């Protein structure tokens, strides 16, 4: 193995002058400074990106802060809307309440219901809220066109979810004959 003994090296024999030592020392120092400078630049570039991101977030917060009360109100309104939407579903075994609702409300619009019978339940959709089925309700009635339009509008905006899938109107005097299928949305447990 090779061992370097610095005591035996004579600098005078190496023939290195003072200027060479100074230039070499200066070069090594400069190289070390460049390495340190680049490492600092690379380290701060990531920090600068984070600072710019935080500045953007802060600007967004400053922009939205005056409207924070509106957000709270909107959140409460959305919660209330969602709660109301959940009550529009028909629960299993409560279909008779739905038939009673349709029958009683039709009288207020001069819609004379002759036939009101359920159809076969149909699969509709499964979501994270549960499994839903369509409950078709077959209705035959007599009404004026105006009374029927108001009644259907009322059903669409009522406390239950209804979808009109079929509607046939036969003109007649003084009342039109109506055959329709409306579907309620049943939420299974």
């Amino acid at each position: 193995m090779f061992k370097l003994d610095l005591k035996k090296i004579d600098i005078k024999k190496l023939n290195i002058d003072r200027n060479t030592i100074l230039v070499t020392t200066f070069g090594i120092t400069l190289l070390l400074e460049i390495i340190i400078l680049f490492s600092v630049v690379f380290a701060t570039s990531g920090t600068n990106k984070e600072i710019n991101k935080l500045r953007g977030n802060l600007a967004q917060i400053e922009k939205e802060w005056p409207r924070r009360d509106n957000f709270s109100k909107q959140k409460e309104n959305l919660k209330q809307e969602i709660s109301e939407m959940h009550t529009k579903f028909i629960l299993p075994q409560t279909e008779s309440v739905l038939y009673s609702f349709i029958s009683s409300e039709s009288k207020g619009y001069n819609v004379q219901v002759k036939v009101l019978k359920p159809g076969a339940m149909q699969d509709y959709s499964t979501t994270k809220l549960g499994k839903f089925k369509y409950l078709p309700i077959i209705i035959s009635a007599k009404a004026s066109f105006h009374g029927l339009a108001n009644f259907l509008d009322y059903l669409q905006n009522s406390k239950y979810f209804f979808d009109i899938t079929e509607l046939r109107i036969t003109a007649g005097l003084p009342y039109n004959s109506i055959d329709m299928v409306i579907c309620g949305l049943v939420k299974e447990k």
Side-chain angles (χ1 to χ4, degrees), residues 37-80:
L37 181 65
F38 277 121
S39 64
V40 169
V41 167
F42 286 124
T44 59
S45 69
T47 306
N48 286 337
K49 288 178 184 177
E50 288 183 37
I51 289 171
N52 288 335
K53 183 179 176 184
L54 290 174
R55 282 183 183 154
N57 290 344
L58 183 60
Q60 184 70 24
I61 290 170
E62 287 174 346
K63 179 181 171 186
E64 300 295 336
W65 187 257
R67 299 187 331 193
R68 71 186 179 282
D69 293 334
N70 288 343
F71 292 136
S72 296
K73 289 176 188 173
Q74 286 176 346
K75 181 180 176 183
E76 290 304 315
N77 289 343
L78 286 173
K79 281 183 181 179
Q80 184 177 355

Side-chain angles (χ1 to χ4, degrees), residues 13 23 27 74 92 95 104 112 123 141 148 153:
K13 287 184 182 177
V23 169
Q74 286 176 346
E95 293 92 357
S104 65
Q112 301 165 4
D123 286 336
L148 174 65
D153 184 55

Side-chain angles (χ1 to χ4, degrees), residues 92-108:
Q93 312 303 323
T94 61
E95 293 92 357
S96 60
V97 175
L98 182 65
Y99 307 138
S100 176
F101 172 77
I102 293 170
S103 179
S104 65
E105 295 300 320
S106 67
K107 293 174 184 161

Side-chain angles (χ1 to χ4, degrees), residues 110 112 142-147 170-178:
N110 291 329
Q112 301 165 4
K142 287 195 174 263
S144 68
F145 184 78
H146 183 69
T170 307
L173 290 176
Y175 294 109
N176 300 313
S177 293
I178 300 141

